[in-house]
């Protein structure tokens, strides 16, 4: 019975099987250690204001501009919208105004 000596490529393959994941893990730790302190500073430079992505004439932009008037008030601001297929009559507008002031 003859035993063939292990081929050189088998030994290299076995060595790489554990060495490559270990090197990748250590590399990941190094990157995390270097980049970790900078991740907290990301919030200082990012902008999450979704209104910046809207056109200037969008209703949401107008509401955002008008809502600044309510910021100093001690009441809870609310926006009430009246919608109709036809133009509102003066009587309907008066009713809506009374309703809006009442709430």
């Amino acid at each position: 019975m003859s035993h063939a000596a292990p081929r050189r490529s088998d030994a290299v393959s076995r060595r790489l099987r554990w060495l490559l994941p270990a090197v990748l893990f250590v590399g990941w730790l190094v990157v995390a250690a270097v980049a970790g302190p900078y991740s907290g500073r990301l919030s200082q430079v990012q902008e999450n204001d979704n209104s910046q992505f809207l056109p200037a004439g969008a209703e949401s932009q107008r509401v955002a501009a008008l809502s600044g008037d309510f910021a100093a008030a001690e009441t809870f601001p609310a926006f009430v919208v009246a919608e109709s297929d036809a133009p509102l009559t003066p009587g309907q507008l008066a009713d809506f105004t009374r309703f809006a002031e009442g709430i």
Side-chain angles (χ1 to χ4, degrees):
M1 203 175 254
S2 66
H3 293 284
R7 295 187 331 202
R8 183 173 172 85
S9 65
D10 289 341
V12 171
S13 176
R14 275 185 292 203
R15 192 170 288 151
L16 283 178
R17 192 173 298 148
W18 67 268
L19 185 63
L20 186 60
V23 168
L24 289 174
F25 180 72
V26 170
W28 178 81
L29 287 177
V30 168
V31 168
V34 171
Y38 296 108
S39 66
R41 297 181 186 178
L42 182 60
S43 63
Q44 296 172 355
V45 296
Q46 70 184 4
E47 291 185 23
N48 289 332
D49 187 8
N50 288 334
S51 66
Q52 297 298 323
F53 301 106
L54 297 172
E59 290 177 351
S60 298
Q61 290 283 45
R62 294 190 316 213
V63 170
L66 293 173
S67 67
D69 297 340
F70 296 100
E74 293 183 16
T75 59
F76 182 75
F79 297 99
V80 181
V81 178
E83 183 178 343
S84 176
D85 291 335
L88 295 174
T89 65
Q92 289 173 324
L93 285 174
D95 291 341
F96 178 73
T97 303
R98 278 193 299 278
F99 170 75
E101 289 173 352
I103 60 171

